[in-house]
Amino acid sequence: MEEVKQPELESCAEVECCTSTSERKSHHSEQTKKNLVTRLNRIEGQIRGVKGLIEKDTYCDDVLTQIAAIQSALNGVSKILLEGHLKNCVVERIQEGDMDVLDEFLTTIQRVMKK
């Protein structure tokens, strides 16, 4: 599996994320959404490939290597989302005086790092 280069995230002016209203949404730029969807489509294909390997009774070590590549690719998606969330959503909510966002972010980091 080839390693995917991670593009730089857009500046705060280009990405608005996780508004602090009761209905929180992320508002990623079209470029960011396209990048994430492309990565997820690739991951989806990798998962189908692993399924095929298992169906063909492929040697376990080879299957595990492919699974490790999938986990790495998912971690790449998480890193992009976490960086955007911190640089935009968390900063915006702190500027609005919502300090509870720090506990929320720390909980998210703990959840992501368990993987």
Side-chain angles (χ1 to χ4, degrees):
M1 303 266 161
E2 67 181 59
E3 186 159 329
V4 179
K5 293 180 185 173
Q6 293 187 15
E8 295 294 318
L9 266 179
E10 296 84 8
S11 68
C12 292
E14 295 176 80
V15 176
E16 182 184 333
C17 173
C18 308
T19 59
S20 61
T21 63
S22 61
E23 182 183 327
R24 297 186 310 187
K25 291 185 177 184
S26 65
H27 300 283
H28 301 288
S29 71
E30 288 303 314
Q31 178 184 354
T32 299
K33 281 195 273 189
K34 182 179 178 184
N35 177 30
L36 292 170
V37 168
T38 298
R39 287 169 177 266
L40 291 169
N41 286 338
R42 188 174 301 119
I43 292 165
E44 185 178 23
Q46 289 174 306
I47 290 170
R48 282 193 303 273
V50 166
K51 181 181 174 187
L53 293 175
I54 290 171
E55 290 171 343
K56 294 179 203 172
D57 295 321
T58 303
Y59 184 60
C60 297
D61 189 59
D62 295 337
V63 176
L64 290 167
T65 298
Q66 295 305 312
I67 291 171
I70 293 167
Q71 289 171 328
S72 178
L74 281 171
N75 286 340
V77 169
S78 291
K79 287 176 189 176
I80 291 170
L81 290 170
L82 279 170
E83 183 177 347
H85 183 57
L86 179 59
K87 287 183 175 179
N88 298 288
C89 310
V90 174
V91 169
E92 180 181 302
R93 288 177 59 190
I94 289 172
Q95 289 171 341
E96 292 172 355
D98 181 1
M99 298 307 286
D100 291 337
V101 72
L102 292 176
D103 290 331
E104 177 187 283
F105 186 72
L106 290 173
T107 300
T108 299
I109 292 290
Q110 290 172 348
R111 187 172 52 245
V112 169
M113 290 181 73
K114 283 184 184 179
K115 298 176 181 179

